[in-house]
Amino acid sequence: MSVVARQGFKYSIIGYIGFLLGTVSAIFIFPNDFEFYGKLRYILPTAEMLVPFVVLGISYSNVKFFHSVEKDGKKQNMLSLSLLTVFVNFLIFAAVFFVLPYFYPKFRHSEAWKIKEMILPLILILSFCAIFNKYTSNYKRIVVSNIFDNLFPKIANLGAFCLFYYFALSQKVAFAFFFGIFALMLFGYIYYTNKLEKIHLDFNTDYFKKDDLWKKFFNYSFFGFLGTFGNYLAINSFMIGEFMGMEEVGIYSVLYALISLISIPQLGLFNISAPIINKTLADGDMEELDRFHKKTSLSLYFLGAVLFSCIMVGFPYLTQFMPKNGTMLREYEPVVWIWGSAVLIDLATGFNGNIISLSKYYRFNILVMLLLAGLTIGLNYYFIKNTDLKLIGIALSTAISLSVYNIIKIIFNYIVFKVSPLTIEMIFVSIICTLAITVAIVLPNFNSNLINLIYKPTVVLILIYIGNYFTKIFPIEDYLNMKFIKSVFKFK
C-alpha cells in the first residue's frame, strides 16, 4: 500500500473515531450541564473565528510555494518567516482588541471580553498550529495533524467537562486542562515537524525580496484569508453566546452533534473526488463530470435522507435516555427538522464547491463564502433581535443562508460548466422518505422508549428499502453483500 493510501486510510479512521467520540459525548455526557458545556463551546469556536485575522491566509501559501522554495533550499526560511509574521500579526490583533473598548464601550460587556484570558492565548496557539498543519501536509503526512485537529479538541472538551461536573473541580481547573490540551497540541506539532525535518530558524528576508516573491506570497495569502469566512458554525456559536447565553450554546452544540450524523456519507468525499474532478476539468470532458456529479450527489442525498429519516422518528425517544436536561432538547425538535433539511440540501449539491475551487474560477468560491458569512450574520441578528424564536431562529437563518449559498453555486456551475447535481430521482427519494417518516410517526407507541427507539427507525428502514426496491434509485445490493464488506478491509 502506498504512502498516500496508508495515510488516507488512517486519516479516515481517525476522523470516524473523533466523530464517534464527539457525538457520544454530546448525547450522553454534555447534557448534564448545558451552561458549562456552552462556555467550552463558546471559547473554541470564537477563537477559531478570529484565527484567520491573525494567520491572514499565510498557512495556505506554505503549501502553494513549498515546492518552489524547496528547490532553492529555503523551506526553513519560509516556515520561520511565516511563524514570525503570525506572531507580529497577533500582537497587532491583541492591541486592537484591548483598544476597541475605548471606541466601543459596550465591548467590555461582551462574553469575548470577559474570558479574553482564555480566548487570546488560544488564538495564538491555534494560529501557530495552522501554519504547522499546512506545512507538514507537504510531506504527505496528514494522520498526525488529523489527530491534533480532530481528537485533541474533543479530548479538551470532554476532559474539562468531566473535571468540572463529575469530579466537582473548579472552573479554573477545568479551563486550565482545556487550555493545556491545546498547548500540548502546539508542542506536538513542533516536535512532529522537527522529526520530519530538523527545524532551523532563518529570519533572513533577502530570498523573499528577490523578484518581489513576497508580493506573490501575500497576494495568494490574501485570497486564502478571504476564503476562510464561511465558517457559519463558529459564527452561530459566537452570536448565540453573545445574545442568548451559554446554556443555549450548549443546547445548540448538542443538536449540531445529532444533525451532523446526516453528513457521515460526506466524510472524505473531497479526497476521493478531487483527482476525478481535476482530470475531467483538464480534459474538458463536461459530460463525464456531469455524470459523476449526478451519481455522487444522488448517493449522498439518498444516504443522508435515510439517516435523517431515522433521526426524525427516533429523536423524541433518544432524548429520554439523555441526562436530566434531555427534555430541553425535546423542546427544540423543530431545530432538528429545519437544520437537518438544510444539511440534506447541502448533501444534494455534492461537490459543487470543489468543482469551482479546482477550476480557474476559484475566486468565485471566495465571493460566495463571503456571502454565506454575511447572510448568516445578518439573518442571525434579525431573528435574535426581532423574534422570540431563539434557536429555531438560528436554525432558520442557517437553513436560508446555506440554501442560498448552494443554489448560487448550482446556477454558476450549470452556466459555466453545464453540470448539475440535481436529478429526478432525488424527488422520488424525498417522497419515499417522507412517506416512511409519516407511517412510522402514526404507528402506535409502546410503553418502552427503548423499543420505540429501535422499532420506529427499523420501520423507516424497511419502508425505504421496499420503496427503493421498486424504483431502483440506489443500488443497495452492491453494498449489502460480503464481497463489498471484505473489500472495505482489503487494501492494495
Side-chain angles (χ1 to χ4, degrees), residues 230-294:
N231 190 351
Y232 64 91
L233 297 174
I235 293 172
N236 285 347
S237 293
F238 173 75
M239 295 188 72
I240 293 171
E242 290 295 339
F243 295 104
M244 294 185 191
M246 293 304 171
E247 186 174 68
E248 282 73 14
V249 177
I251 295 173
Y252 164 85
S253 299
V254 172
L255 291 174
Y256 168 69
L258 281 170
I259 295 165
S260 62
L261 289 168
I262 304 169
S263 300
I264 286 180
Q266 202 174 29
L267 293 179
L269 171 68
F270 180 70
N271 291 335
I272 297 171
S273 61
I276 300 174
I277 299 172
N278 257 332
K279 184 178 185 303
T280 53
L281 287 174
D283 297 340
D285 190 353
M286 295 301 106
E287 288 187 8
E288 173 60 21
L289 180 60
D290 185 58
R291 184 199 66 78
F292 181 62
H293 194 15
K294 283 181 166 59

Side-chain angles (χ1 to χ4, degrees), residues 77-208:
N77 187 212
M78 179 181 71
L79 176 62
S80 302
L81 289 175
S82 296
L83 294 172
L84 177 62
T85 304
V86 164
F87 182 70
V88 172
N89 289 345
F90 173 76
L91 294 179
I92 296 172
F93 176 86
V96 172
F97 189 91
F98 283 105
V99 168
L100 188 59
Y102 294 99
F103 297 93
Y104 184 65
K106 289 184 178 179
F107 185 62
R108 291 185 183 275
H109 302 290
S110 69
E111 295 295 335
W113 178 265
K114 293 175 183 176
I115 51 178
K116 57 184 178 295
E117 294 81 5
M118 283 287 295
I119 292 178
L120 287 176
L122 190 58
I123 290 172
L124 179 61
I125 287 177
L126 293 178
S127 298
F128 282 143
C129 288
I131 299 296
F132 284 114
N133 177 282
K134 293 298 182 183
Y135 183 83
T136 55
S137 70
N138 293 301
Y139 293 88
K140 297 182 176 63
R141 294 294 191 274
I142 58 176
V143 175
V144 173
S145 62
N146 192 32
I147 292 175
F148 290 144
D149 295 342
N150 202 332
L151 290 184
F152 271 49
K154 293 178 174 61
I155 293 172
N157 278 325
L158 182 59
F161 186 89
C162 289
L163 288 175
F164 174 76
Y165 184 80
Y166 292 104
F167 293 93
L169 298 179
S170 68
Q171 288 193 23
K172 287 185 177 180
V173 173
F175 284 146
F177 175 87
F178 181 82
F179 182 80
I181 293 296
F182 289 98
L184 181 63
M185 182 170 76
L186 175 58
F187 286 120
Y189 262 122
I190 295 172
Y191 174 80
Y192 184 64
T193 304
N194 190 66
K195 188 177 179 181
L196 291 174
E197 183 178 347
K198 190 74 174 178
I199 296 177
H200 298 288
L201 296 178
D202 178 6
F203 300 109
N204 191 296
T205 58
D206 293 341
Y207 176 76
F208 281 89

Side-chain angles (χ1 to χ4, degrees), residues 406-420:
N406 281 308
I407 290 170
I408 290 174
K409 289 192 295 182
I410 290 175
I411 295 172
F412 181 85
N413 280 340
Y414 185 76
I415 294 174
V416 176
F417 303 107
K418 304 302 179 189
V419 300
S420 170

